[in-house]
Amino acid sequence: MFRHRRTDGPRLETGVSDAGPDPAAWAPGGGRSSGLSLERLPIRALARVGPKIAERLERLGILTVQDLLFHLPLRYQDRTRVTPLAEIAPGLETWVEGEIRESSISQGRRRSLKVWIGDALGAGLLLRFFHFSPQQAAALKPGKRVRCYGEVRQGPQSLEMVHPEYRLLRPEADEPIAPCLTPIYPSTEGLQQRVWQGLTDQALALMERSAPAELLPLKILEPLGLPPLTEALAFLHRPPVGTPLQDLIEGRHPAFARLAFEELVAHQVSLRRMRLTQRRRQAPVLAGDGSLCQRLRASLPFRLTGSQERVVAEIAADLAQSRPMQRLLQGDVGAGKTVVAALAALQALESGRQVALMAPTELLAEQHHRSLSAWLGPLGIEPLWLAGRHKGREREERLAAIASGAAPIVVGTHALLQDDVTFQDLGLVIIDEQHRFGVHQRLKLREKGGGEDGAPHQLIMTATPIPRSLAMAFYADLDLSIIDGLPPGRTPIVTRAVPDTRRDEVIERVRQACLAGRQAYWVCTLIEESEVLECQAAEETARQLSARLEGVRVGLVHGRLKSQERDAVMAAFASGALDLMVATTVIEVGVDVPNASLMIIENPERLGLAQLHQLRGRVGRGSVESHCLLLYHAPLSETARERLGIIRDSTSGFEIAERDLALRGAGEVLGTRQTGSIQFRIADPLRDQPLLAEAQRAADVLLVDYPELVMPLIDRWLGEREHYGGV
Ligand code: ADP
Ligand code: MG
């Protein structure tokens, strides 16, 4: 249970009465302190914040006093007590005190000042300074008492502190030590911890007069043992003596949990609101009559699996509603999502509506266009492909076909989002590989359409399985459909990690596979962050392998080939006219050649687990046993070893994602860097997983019983960011 012991921390000054403007003057109520709102009080109102400091704070997103209060310490130092010399141990960061016994300047490899201190019990410690002035050396002379703060280390002969902070003690005055743990703030150049201390002292004093609004009702907080907001903030900025440091640093302390929880609730509330708003919108009823769907099913060379059927039914039911579907379809690589999407598209077509399919890369869009054409062409439906490279007349013709409704299905990349693309009556939007698109983009496509009767339905497909816990936190505005397992008849891929010193053996293996009539991929990975270099590496590898592998027909694809050339090479490989395909990571998505059963991945340690899993999914699509060799360059770091181990031991995308998450954290797994999708300030969905379910419950309670708290909460934690939600 959380107990906050009040501390009267050192107040340098509050800045209210002396230097600087009077913050009350900023209050909307004409200076009444009750009207003072820290949320609007600019940071400049604090004492000693001039343009320079204000500008530096702004760099960290701190504009108001409230922003400052929510800027939490990164870690803490315990300066509340002096550890007796007899009790110190390596690794401890603490105050110590002693009498100087000896002091000398050594001229060894590096000139240094060595000062030995000791106490009455005979324990001692060596202080070592590499940078010192003659005055310092003279002042630190035997007989003086000194107090030092620093980290204890094991030196060659004894315990030591290198460059401690220190001050000489005067015998008569027992100098005070800190009354609470010392916060260390995340900072930026030119803002020392001293400055942060002074600023937060002022902010905390102001908080006592005018607390930030409490946005979570006691009814929610109390059962969870979480403190009120101001208590939590005061505690985190100035934790009292005796607070378990480790709990604080690892974010497990209730005061910390309280803030993480509030942030999670804010996100949940925001996502719920988007969802509710969506649900209130109209959407065209796409009931379909089953005619096209039946014909597609009859033409497929396979039967849908049980979980594909389940998902198809979930989607069909959604489409028949008059409110927009917002469904996330998850399924591992090769699980068969495309056919599910095709059936959804046909249902929309049966109802006389247009369909847009958006993919993250041209190659993937092209692949979708190809599969859809192969399936739907025989039904008399020609999907239209809109690519960035369609220019001039060609583009205009395509745009006209989209605008008139002559094109029932349009496939493309984010080029579909451009303003000149208008649909006649868009009924369904299908987005592949959701994690590569930001929320904005998803919403923008939605705005494209629906005609009079509202927003189009949305189906979002992802092959990067998102662990359920995260899906809950990030996609609370979506319904979830999962295709579990792969279609029958696939044999699992056997994966092995092989050092590149055995490259010759690996090449031999490729020869045997190809001569036995099987096909193989050789994937060259990014050498640097440069597509040019990556392509050059692939060209070079293709040359070497052709020279070495007589009788093996080698092809090459990379991102810098013209798409016609790339098409031709891919088609040759698919038809069996090529045996070995040397490629860059462009083949990650969108290639489907069931006879390919061997994949070599060079320098796999450079790739993320999700990407490796995607790549590997290019093999194992037929009935022969497939192999994947991870040709790594030794020595591997500890994590690299661990990550390759995960790929070797598991072929389940879900399991890989869970373990990747534990290893790397949520941001990396979801690829937030590319997408700019949800970023948390304080919460960490992995660490705070136990709070997630509670946060969802709390969001429901707020929306129903405390609607007045909803917007303030969203503003506090998401600010501008929610507004692109178009709510
Ligand atoms: P992904 O989910 O990765 O997009 P695809 O839709 O590309 O997977 O499907 C992979 C391969 O599996 C394709 O060749 C597809 O035709 C085939 N496939 C899909 N569903 C089935 C099924 N039920 N039985 C057999 N093969 C299937
Ligand atoms: Mg796919």
Side-chain angles (χ1 to χ4, degrees), residues 447-581:
E447 297 312 321
K448 290 246 172 229
E452 284 126 50
D453 41 0
H457 298 273
Q458 282 204 350
L459 177 65
I460 295 144
M461 304 193 281
T462 176
T464 304
I466 302 154
R468 241 179 213 287
S469 56
L470 280 191
M472 242 161 68
F474 286 85
Y475 300 115
D477 61 330
L478 303 174
D479 291 305
L480 197 58
S481 284
I482 298 179
I483 303 180
D484 29 32
L486 300 179
R490 307 261 174 92
T491 33
I493 305 164
V494 179
T495 303
R496 275 178 47 213
V498 183
D500 57 10
T501 46
R502 291 170 56 191
R503 193 180 169 93
D504 286 347
E505 278 170 58
V506 171
I507 294 176
E508 198 44 45
R509 178 110 182 240
V510 171
R511 182 203 308 276
Q512 280 161 15
C514 291
L515 295 183
R518 292 192 293 272
Q519 288 169 286
Y521 294 104
W522 188 292
V523 183
C524 304
T525 57
L526 212 65
I527 305 256
E528 272 166 51
E529 292 292 315
S530 151
E531 199 192 15
V532 180
L533 289 179
E534 190 185 45
C535 297
Q536 283 170 357
E539 277 166 6
E540 181 54 33
T541 305
R543 244 192 314 276
Q544 283 176 6
L545 290 174
S546 321
R548 297 268 310 259
L549 296 170
E550 209 177 314
V552 173
R553 297 160 299 173
V554 180
L556 170 67
V557 277
H558 57 61
R560 286 166 61 84
L561 289 185
K562 292 228 173 58
S563 71
Q564 277 126 319
E565 296 173 74
R566 207 169 55 202
D567 273 358
V569 180
M570 292 305 256
F573 188 63
S575 72
L578 292 173
D579 306 303
L580 174 63
M581 177 67 89

Side-chain angles (χ1 to χ4, degrees), residues 2 8 14 26 67 76 78 97 303 306 350 365 386 397 429 434 452 479 536 695 702 725:
F2 177 84
D8 285 305
T14 62
W26 299 85
D67 292 338
Y76 299 88
D78 187 352
E97 221 175 273
R303 287 171 61 90
E350 288 166 8
L386 184 70
E397 278 167 20
V429 169
Q434 142 82 9
E452 284 126 50
D479 291 305
Q536 283 170 357
L702 281 174

